[in-house]
């Protein structure tokens, strides 16, 4: 089978790397991909938002399955674009249509969906500039801190958690006033959930589902979860507190009603659902849905799937997931993201990267895997080209051993202004 992975980050490198290991993968393409994917696939030039360009690439290369990495093309309707085109309508796709993608594209839609289908989540209400007085009253009825979410996609930055009522009221006005552009025309205000977060990943065909390995993400830039939010600085899988009892609650209270709810609403959903959860004293609550895999969680999760990922993806796209069984490795995975100093604010680019023998290695049996995120080739040299540069994953048993193996490898990777978090996994040691 000829497969195309859409996207260019560490997530897409990890998905492509796992698909490549299937004996059914005859040819692998990435659009646009990166220097890491170039080692295992043919990179096609283009952009994930140029649907006509993607159409040409799919037809020219006889692609049979498209796996959509990021949310933007899904929210913008790439599945609907394929379905409406005579030449593309039979191409298999992993990724929901526009309606299903609203689970991520609109927080208001997602909250209403959860309420309708009894999925546990924080109490909430949605407001616009017409209902600002009611919003103030609702804020007054809540306890600090306050959670304010721009309804639409805001590149992961649309959530504010002010500590005081006064700040909350002024943040609300800034959001409705255009701080996040159109995404903030509607603001969801919700109850603050106290607990520890975990990311749960599901692959569904709209009827059946497979539960992928869970992971914990490290969102803040600084050690000890301090500082600005980033796309993600590291990931660990499995997550000690997400034990069998907790995961059973997740499946019964969240995954089943979510998949059944999509079907009941008439939404044909074939793709990943990434459920951001809060474990509140042993009970799971949904913080958010995403309609794609997480990054950098994927760089840990993919290395723990022992069964044939491509077979699962094809089955999901065809609506035959009931026939599939996922096999998850006993070994864990720990991923540390090397970023450009300055990220998530401004940073330099174009610095040469060297030092590790694993930079271009994609051997599945290597204990260390280096997934590329923000890299480029320039004059035959590997250079930095983004905020998150490389996601370095180790497969080991236990967090302490994983940390002992991954950090010396990261020390070998050299480029100007390299930064990484030295505490990935530390908070989970107590659950082992
Ligand atoms: P989101 O973009 O919805 O994932 O929110 C970003 C981050 O804000 C989450 O990862 C949580 O750490 C935090 N957050 C979101 N909603 C809540 C909530 N209701 N209670 C506590 N923290 C939250
Ligand atoms: N790591 C969080 C995300 O992908 O949204």
């Amino acid at each position: 089978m000829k497969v195309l992975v859409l996207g260019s980050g560490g997530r897409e490198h990890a998905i492509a790397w796992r698909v490549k290991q299937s004996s059914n993968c005859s040819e692998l393409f990435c659009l646009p991909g990166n220097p890491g994917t170039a080692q295992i696939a043919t990179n096609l030039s283009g952009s994930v938002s140029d649907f006509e360009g993607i159409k040409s690439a799919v037809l020219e290369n006889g692609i049979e399955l498209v796996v959509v990495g990021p949310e933007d093309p899904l929210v913008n309707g790439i599945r609907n674009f394929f379905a409406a085109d005579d030449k593309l309508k039979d191409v298999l796709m992993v990724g929901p249509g526009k309606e299903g993608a609203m689970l991520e594209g609109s927080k208001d839609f997602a909250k209403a969906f959860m309420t309708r289908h009894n999925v546990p989540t924080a109490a909430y209400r949605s407001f616009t500039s017409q209902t600002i007085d009611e919003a103030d009253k609702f804020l007054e009825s809540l306890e600090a801190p306050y959670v304010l979410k721009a309804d639409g996609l805001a590149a992961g930055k649309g959530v504010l958690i002010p500590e005081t009522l006064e700040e909350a009221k002024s943040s609300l006005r800034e959001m409705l006033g255009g701080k996040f552009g159109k995404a903030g025309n509607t603001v969801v205000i919700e109850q603050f959930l106290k607990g520890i977060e975990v990311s749960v990943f599901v692959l569904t065909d709209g009827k059946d589902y497979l539960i992928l390995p869970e992971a914990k993400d490290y969102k803040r830039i600084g050690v000890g979860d301090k500082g600005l939010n980033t796309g993600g600085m590291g990931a660990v899988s499995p997550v000690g507190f997400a034990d069998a009892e907790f995961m059973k609650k997740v499946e019964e209270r969240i995954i089943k009603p979510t998949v059944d709810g999509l079907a009941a609403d008439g939404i044909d959903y074939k793709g990943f659902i990434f459920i951001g959860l809060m474990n509140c004293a042993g009970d799971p609550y949904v913080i958010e849905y995403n309609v794609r895999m997480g990054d950098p969680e994927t760089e840990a999760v993919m290395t723990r799937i022992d069964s044939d990922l491509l077979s699962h993806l094809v089955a999901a796209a065809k609506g035959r997931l009931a026939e599939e069984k996922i096999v998850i490795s006993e070994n864990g995975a720990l991923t540390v993201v090397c970023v450009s100093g300055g990220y998530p604010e401004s940073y330099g680019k174009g610095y040469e990267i060297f030092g590790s023998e694993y930079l271009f290695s994609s051997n599945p049996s290597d204990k260390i895997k280096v997934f590329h995120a923000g890299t480029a080739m320039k004059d035959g040299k590997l250079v930095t080209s983004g905020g998150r540069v490389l996601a370095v994953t180790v497969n080991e048993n236990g967090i302490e051993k994983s940390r002992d193996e991954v950090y010396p490898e990261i020390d070998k990777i050299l480029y100007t202004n390299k930064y990484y978090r030295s505490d990935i996994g530390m908070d989970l040691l107590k659950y082992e």
Side-chain angles (χ1 to χ4, degrees):
M1 171 168 274
K2 294 186 178 186
V3 184
L4 170 66
V5 178
L6 277 185
S8 63
R11 167 182 51 210
E12 288 76 19
H13 187 185
I15 292 173
W17 171 85
R18 195 65 194 82
V19 165
K20 174 80 176 183
Q21 291 164 48
S22 170
S23 54
N24 284 329
C25 178
S26 59
E27 236 180 314
L28 182 61
F29 299 88
C30 292
L31 188 156
N34 63 40
T37 64
Q39 302 303 308
I40 51 172
T42 304
N43 283 349
L44 303 171
S45 57
S47 145
V48 297
S49 47
D50 173 13
F51 294 174
E52 288 294 341
I54 294 169
K55 172 179 173 177
S56 309
V58 165
L59 296 178
E60 272 163 32
N61 295 290
I63 284 158
E64 298 161 272
L65 171 73
V66 179
V67 184
V68 185
E71 64 276 18
D72 274 313
L74 294 168
V75 172
N76 293 330
I78 189 162
R79 173 178 278 276
N80 309 70
F81 175 86
F82 270 57
D85 189 299
D86 262 352
K87 291 191 180 130
L88 295 177
K89 66 181 181 350
D90 295 325
V91 175
L92 297 171
M93 181 175 282
V94 175
K98 226 173 173 160
E99 244 190 315
M102 293 270 283
L103 282 183
E104 178 165 358
S106 165
K107 303 263 188 208
D108 180 49
F109 176 91
K111 295 295 285 192
F113 176 90
M114 287 185 259
T115 308
R116 193 159 61 244
H117 300 294
N118 293 316
V119 176
T121 187
Y124 85 106
R125 280 184 61 192
S126 299
F127 301 94
T128 63
S129 49
Q130 266 80 55
T131 51
I132 205 155
D133 294 338
E134 287 168 53
D136 282 345
K137 280 198 198 107
F138 185 63
L139 282 170
E140 286 158 20
S141 76
L142 296 173
E143 279 178 34
Y146 304 87
V147 182
L148 279 68
K149 300 185 174 184
D151 174 53
L153 287 186
K157 298 194 174 95
V159 177
L160 299 179
I161 308 194
E163 291 291 334
T164 68
L165 184 60
E166 207 172 47
E167 273 178 83
K169 287 183 178 175
S170 84
S171 297
L172 170 72
R173 283 160 177 76
E174 279 172 31
M175 287 170 98
L176 292 171
K179 185 183 171 91
F180 299 114
K182 269 199 337 229
N185 284 356
T186 297
V187 173
V188 169
I189 300 180
E190 64 181 43
Q191 165 204 13
F192 181 82
L193 296 172
K194 232 181 167 154
I196 179 158
E197 288 181 63
V198 55
S199 305
V200 170
F201 301 98
V202 175
L203 177 64
T204 183
D205 61 3
K207 307 183 293 282
D208 295 288
Y209 55 83
L210 297 177
I211 304 176
L212 278 54
E214 79 285 354
K216 183 167 189 297
D217 178 20
Y218 293 78
K219 286 205 168 87
R220 302 293 190 97
I221 187 72
V223 167
D225 280 330
K226 301 269 166 24
L228 294 174
N229 253 327
T230 69
M233 297 295 291
V236 176
S237 177
V239 178
F241 64 80
D243 55 12
E245 191 192 347
F246 180 78
M247 289 306 288
K248 191 158 176 270
K249 290 182 191 169
V250 172
E251 182 167 8
E252 292 302 323
R253 298 180 192 174
I254 292 167
I255 297 174
K256 277 192 185 145
T258 297
V259 173
D260 292 348
L262 286 165
D265 289 352
I267 298 175
D268 177 25
Y269 196 110
K270 294 183 168 64
F272 293 106
I273 310 178
F274 156 2
I275 308 172
L277 291 177
M278 192 71 89
N279 175 348
C280 301
D283 289 319
Y285 289 81
V286 177
I287 289 183
E288 62 166 350
Y289 288 117
N290 294 301
V291 297
R292 47 156 178 102
M293 289 296 291
D295 195 348
E297 292 99 318
T298 306
E299 291 93 303
V301 166
M302 287 298 148
T303 68
R304 295 194 62 226
I305 299 177
D306 280 348
S307 42
D308 184 342
L309 178 72
L310 179 56
S311 167
H312 302 331
L313 295 172
V314 170
K318 286 186 172 169
R320 293 193 195 147
L321 213 45
E323 297 162 15
E324 296 290 303
K325 284 231 156 21
I326 188 163
V327 180
I328 295 172
S329 165
E330 291 286 315
N331 268 341
L334 188 146
T335 300
V336 178
V337 180
C338 297
V339 305
S340 302
Y343 172 79
E345 297 184 290
S346 64
Y347 52 83
K349 289 184 194 177
Y351 302 121
E352 186 176 358
I353 310 168
F354 48 98
S356 167
E357 68 190 281
Y358 295 109
L359 285 179
F360 281 125
S361 146
S362 33
N363 186 352
S365 64
D366 285 344
K367 218 179 217 184
I368 300 276
K369 282 110 187 161
V370 175
F371 296 111
H372 290 229
T375 69
M377 294 304 292
K378 197 173 152 203
D379 306 326
K381 290 177 176 161
L382 183 68
V383 299
T384 66
S385 70
R388 292 192 288 177
V389 178
L390 298 165
V392 185
T393 296
V394 64
N395 291 118
E396 248 304 353
N397 213 335
I399 289 171
E400 213 166 300
K401 257 168 119 182
S402 303
R403 288 174 44 80
D404 285 349
E405 297 208 21
V406 81
Y407 282 110
E409 195 55 41
I410 284 175
D411 285 341
K412 287 190 213 155
I413 295 173
L414 303 173
Y415 60 87
T416 304
N417 293 341
K418 181 182 76 172
Y419 172 76
Y420 59 89
R421 264 181 71 167
S422 56
D423 64 338
I424 302 302
M426 293 283 279
D427 59 332
L428 294 179
L429 278 171
K430 62 174 180 276
Y431 300 104
E432 283 200 328

